[in-house]
């Protein structure tokens, strides 16, 4: 196998040190002293080489080393660190805010990302925060570029405390958001707005969304079209999300390179081939403007940014009659530009999934597609779709399992059926937006478009209901993900050059993965625990044991809460069968495994019935069904035991109990105060 031609792809060489520097910035935050020292040493080295030494070809590697060190420094120093050194929480203070982005928008509420500065003398430091803003119908909504004054207390961002769930506070912290404000119209003073290009694109996005809302689409169809065309998934129905994720179709309603490709092909059809000499430059400029306009309109996500850069390079290459267009080189250019402009993009899962999918498709698709040849064009088309789906999954499967904990089994069926429909849905949705509501085109299109999208929804639901529609309960550590990708690389190397060393690399990486995964699964399956979940106003308890897994819940818990707050624990625990028991009118329920024995007390009762097992009880779980008198009796009877008030109690109710009855909080706790409680 020929060595990789780094010289032909300079941006691949430039990308590696830049990415490495940004990874280092996560582990070692950049310090001014380090940066200044590094710059001085680099400057002296360059000065010495150019002015003190006679330049020789044999020492050309020093120039490369200096370039790599400079990019490493750039990646390290380009990471953001908040300029606000002393931020005070839970204290009312005056602030000025500059609206950066509208995250969510409805008729009565907005969620905004703002840049905040505390109003005090000689204060120039700022920080980023989330604002939950309640709108007044008589006032206009806030838009990017708006400046406001307000007086409020900065609150900590609370995360879901249930085990293995998505931690919203950590997510915001990775994007340098340190707190949140709750504001309404009466708390703010709106100042003069400043120019913001984001405001312009947001206004168009909002107008487009309102246009789709005005058409009599089904609510599910409207949510899918807004997500498919504009990248806004806030209006997606929860059942649609579950069905699309379970059937492997989430990439369709997530703006990606496929959507940019549809725009590009549509422009080629409308404007004609770019190689034409007549109006060639005009077509080039119009195509680039349209691609970048759409990318900006959809929020410039990493996948869209990547695809737009790659298509721009392709268009310019064709116009300049460059015969060789290398996808690997354009990918490295796209990654380099994205990381240079947005340093935190590399911690975005979409960034990695986008690039891994394209790399995998570029390498594996030609090889898989050439395995079988069909004479009939329709069969060749279906096989190419199948090859495309398999190719993308090879590169993304380890990261998908690591992130989401499951893998859709029937993705190839859903993609074979649905993907051919996406261009028609996409173009139909664009026509609905671009043409007037009362036009003949819209009157003709909207009904058919509604039926086609509903067909897609029904197919996704049908596939998601297949037996074993997905491998659930899968769990990979970051080390296992790294080893899997290393194994894929060794397989590629061995396929090109079948040597014993390369074969050994494949064998060792797979054996290493199997060993680590076996140890990990053994440790997980051998653990037993009782978890009292945090779901506001509801009771939810999971019991994990080696023999019988069960969770208890009251009727107030809907399936969305179960999926979001409870299922991550079960998936991580690799449990294949879970039993459910509703807490109805039973006043006492046992919760136990081989290590722990507890009881759920769900109503006032004569506790003397527990005398024979009192000493064996490790934990007592109290629900809101008990009266205040019953609670006092429980605390007296189980004095010295661990007593947990579940999340059916609010924080205020528990605080009042503590204050009213002088309860000592030694072994008494409340989920609404302390978060979800896991007892091993």
């Amino acid at each position: 196998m020929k060595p990789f031609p780094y010289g032909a792809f300079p941006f691949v060489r430039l990308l590696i040190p830049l990415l490495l520097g940004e990874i280092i910035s996560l582990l070692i935050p950049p310090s001014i002293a380090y940066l200044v020292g590094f710059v001085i040493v680099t400057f002296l080295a360059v000065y010495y080489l150019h002015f003190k030494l006679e330049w020789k070809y044999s020492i050309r590697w020093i120039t490369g080393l200096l370039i790599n060190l400079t990019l490493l420094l750039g990646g390290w120093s380009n990471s953001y660190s908040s300029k606000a050194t002393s931020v005070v929480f839970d204290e009312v203070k005056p602030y000025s805010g500059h609206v950066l982005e509208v995250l969510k928008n409805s008729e009565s509420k907005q969620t905004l990302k703002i840049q905040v500065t505390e109003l005090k003398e000689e204060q120039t430091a700022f920080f980023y925060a989330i604002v939950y803003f309640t709108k007044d119908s008589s006032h206009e909504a806030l838009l990017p570029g708006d400046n406001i004054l307000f007086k409020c207390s900065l609150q900590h961002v609370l995360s879901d405390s249930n085990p293995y769930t998505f931690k919203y506070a950590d997510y915001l912290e990775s994007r340098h958001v340190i707190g949140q404000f709750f504001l309404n119209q009466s708390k703010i003073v709106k100042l003069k707005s400043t120019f913001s290009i984001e405001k312009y694109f947001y206004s168009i996005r909002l107008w487009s969304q309102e246009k789709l809302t005005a058409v009599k689409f089904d609510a599910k169809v409207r949510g899918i079209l807004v997500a498919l065309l504009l990248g806004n998934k806030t209006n997606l129905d929860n059942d649609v999300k579950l069905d699309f994720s379970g059937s492997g179709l989430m990439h369709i309603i997530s703006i990606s390179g496929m959507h940019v490709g549809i725009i590009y092909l549509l422009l080629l059809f409308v404007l004609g081939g770019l190689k034409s000499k007549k109006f060639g430059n005009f077509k080039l400029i119009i195509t680039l403007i349209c691609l970048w306009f759409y990318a900006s309109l959809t929020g410039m996500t990493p996948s869209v940014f990547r695809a737009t850069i790659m298509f721009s390079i392709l268009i310019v290459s064709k116009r300049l009659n460059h015969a060789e267009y290398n996808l690997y080189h354009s990918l490295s250019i796209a990654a380099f530009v994205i990381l240079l402009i947005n340093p935190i993009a590399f911690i975005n899962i979409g960034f990695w999934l986008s690039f891994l999918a394209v790399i995998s498709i570029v390498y594996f698709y030609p090889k898989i597609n050439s395995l079988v040849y069909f004479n009939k064009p329709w069969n060749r088309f279906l096989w190419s779709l199948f090859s495309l789906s398999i190719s993308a999954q090879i590169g993304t499967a380890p990261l998908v399992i690591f992130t989401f904990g499951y893998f859709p089994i029937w993705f190839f069926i859903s993609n074979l059926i649905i993907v051919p429909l996406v261009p028609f849905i996409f173009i139909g949705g664009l026509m609905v937006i671009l043409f007037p509501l009362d036009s003949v085109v819209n009157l003709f299109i909207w009904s058919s478009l509604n039926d086609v999208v509903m067909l897609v929804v029904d197919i996704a639901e049908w596939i998601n209901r297949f037996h074993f529609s997905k491998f659930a309960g899968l769990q990979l550590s970051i080390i296992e993900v790294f080893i899997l990708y290393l194994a894929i690389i060794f397989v590629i190397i061995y396929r090109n050059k079948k040597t014993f060393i390369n074969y050994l690399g494949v064998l060792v990486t797979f054996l290493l993965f199997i060993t680590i995964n076996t140890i990990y699964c053994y440790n997980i399956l051998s653990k037993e625990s009782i978890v009292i979940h945090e779901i506001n106003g509801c009771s939810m308890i999971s019991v994990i044991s080696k023999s019988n897994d069960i969770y208890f819940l009251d009727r107030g818990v809907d399936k969305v809460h179960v999926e979001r707050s409870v299922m991550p624990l079960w998936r991580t625990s690799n449990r294949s069968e879970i039993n459910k028991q509703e807490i109805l009118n039973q006043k006492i329920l046992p919760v136990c495994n081989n290590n722990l024995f507890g009881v759920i007390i769900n109503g006032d009762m004569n506790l003397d019935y527990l005398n024979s097992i009192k000493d064996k009880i490790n934990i007592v779980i109290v629900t809101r069904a008990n009266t205040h008198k019953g609670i006092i009796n429980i605390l007296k009877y189980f004095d010295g035991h661990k007593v947990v008030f579940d999340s059916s109690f609010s924080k205020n109710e528990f605080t009042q109990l503590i204050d009213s009855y002088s309860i000592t909080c030694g072994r008494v706790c409340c989920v609404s105060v302390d978060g979800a409680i896991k007892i091993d």
Side-chain angles (χ1 to χ4, degrees), residues 149-260:
L149 296 176
F150 60 94
K151 195 173 184 179
C152 189
S153 62
L154 178 65
Q155 305 290 324
H156 289 281
V157 179
L158 301 178
S159 275
D160 190 338
S161 64
N162 294 293
Y164 307 109
T165 54
F166 174 68
K167 306 303 179 186
Y168 185 55
D170 295 339
Y171 168 80
L172 290 179
E173 185 180 358
S174 69
R175 281 150 180 78
H176 319 304
V177 174
I178 64 173
Q180 59 187 358
F181 293 101
F182 294 89
L183 301 175
N184 55 44
Q185 199 74 50
S186 63
K187 288 185 178 181
I188 70 166
V189 176
K190 192 173 179 181
L191 304 177
K192 185 178 179 180
S193 299
T194 54
F195 174 77
S196 170
I197 190 68
E198 173 60 29
K199 183 175 185 177
Y200 171 71
F201 287 113
Y202 176 76
S203 299
I204 298 176
R205 192 157 60 240
L206 194 61
W207 172 81
S208 303
Q209 187 169 331
E210 289 173 354
K211 190 82 177 287
L212 291 170
T213 304
V215 181
K216 296 179 181 179
F217 287 124
D218 183 90
K220 291 182 178 180
V221 173
R222 188 183 304 115
I224 289 173
L225 288 176
V226 171
L228 180 71
L229 296 166
L230 305 172
N232 182 2
K233 294 195 282 286
T234 56
N235 296 318
L236 271 179
D237 183 82
N238 284 318
D239 290 334
V240 170
K241 287 182 182 179
L242 293 175
D243 290 336
F244 272 63
S245 61
S247 56
L249 290 171
M250 278 303 289
H251 65 96
I252 289 175
I253 52 176
S254 300
I255 296 289
S256 63
M258 178 178 67
H259 304 75
V260 179

Side-chain angles (χ1 to χ4, degrees), residues 216-344:
K216 296 179 181 179
F217 287 124
D218 183 90
K220 291 182 178 180
V221 173
R222 188 183 304 115
I224 289 173
L225 288 176
V226 171
L228 180 71
L229 296 166
L230 305 172
N232 182 2
K233 294 195 282 286
T234 56
N235 296 318
L236 271 179
D237 183 82
N238 284 318
D239 290 334
V240 170
K241 287 182 182 179
L242 293 175
D243 290 336
F244 272 63
S245 61
S247 56
L249 290 171
M250 278 303 289
H251 65 96
I252 289 175
I253 52 176
S254 300
I255 296 289
S256 63
M258 178 178 67
H259 304 75
V260 179
I262 294 172
I263 294 286
Y264 171 66
L265 293 175
L266 187 61
L267 289 169
L268 282 184
F269 175 76
V270 173
L271 297 175
L274 290 174
K275 290 184 178 181
S276 175
K277 293 182 179 180
K278 190 176 181 181
F279 303 117
N281 290 333
F282 172 76
K283 294 175 182 178
L284 170 69
I285 294 170
I286 292 297
T287 304
L288 290 175
I289 289 174
C290 290
L291 287 178
W292 284 102
F293 179 84
Y294 179 71
S296 302
L297 185 63
T298 56
M300 203 69 80
T301 59
S303 58
V304 173
F305 200 0
R306 184 265 309 156
T308 308
I309 292 174
M310 292 180 67
F311 276 112
S312 299
I313 296 170
L314 172 64
I315 294 165
V316 174
S317 298
K318 284 189 174 183
R319 181 58 190 160
L320 297 176
N321 293 319
H322 284 182
E324 293 186 5
Y325 169 76
N326 190 280
L327 281 167
Y328 294 111
H329 195 204
S330 61
L331 269 173
S332 62
I333 293 174
F336 186 85
V337 172
I338 291 172
L339 292 175
L340 209 58
I341 295 174
N342 183 16
I344 64 171

Side-chain angles (χ1 to χ4, degrees), residues 99-100 102 110 112 141-146 190 199 202-203 206:
V99 179
L100 299 173
V102 179
Q110 280 185 301
L112 312 163
L142 294 176
L143 298 173
D146 286 350
K190 192 173 179 181
K199 183 175 185 177
Y202 176 76
S203 299
L206 194 61

Side-chain angles (χ1 to χ4, degrees), residues 452-476:
V452 172
V453 177
M454 281 304 300
L455 176 64
V456 170
V457 172
D458 293 339
I459 292 172
E461 182 182 1
W462 171 63
I463 293 174
N464 191 39
R465 289 183 177 179
F466 281 4
H467 192 54
F468 296 121
S469 64
K470 57 187 177 184
F471 284 121
L474 300 176
Q475 192 68 21
L476 294 177

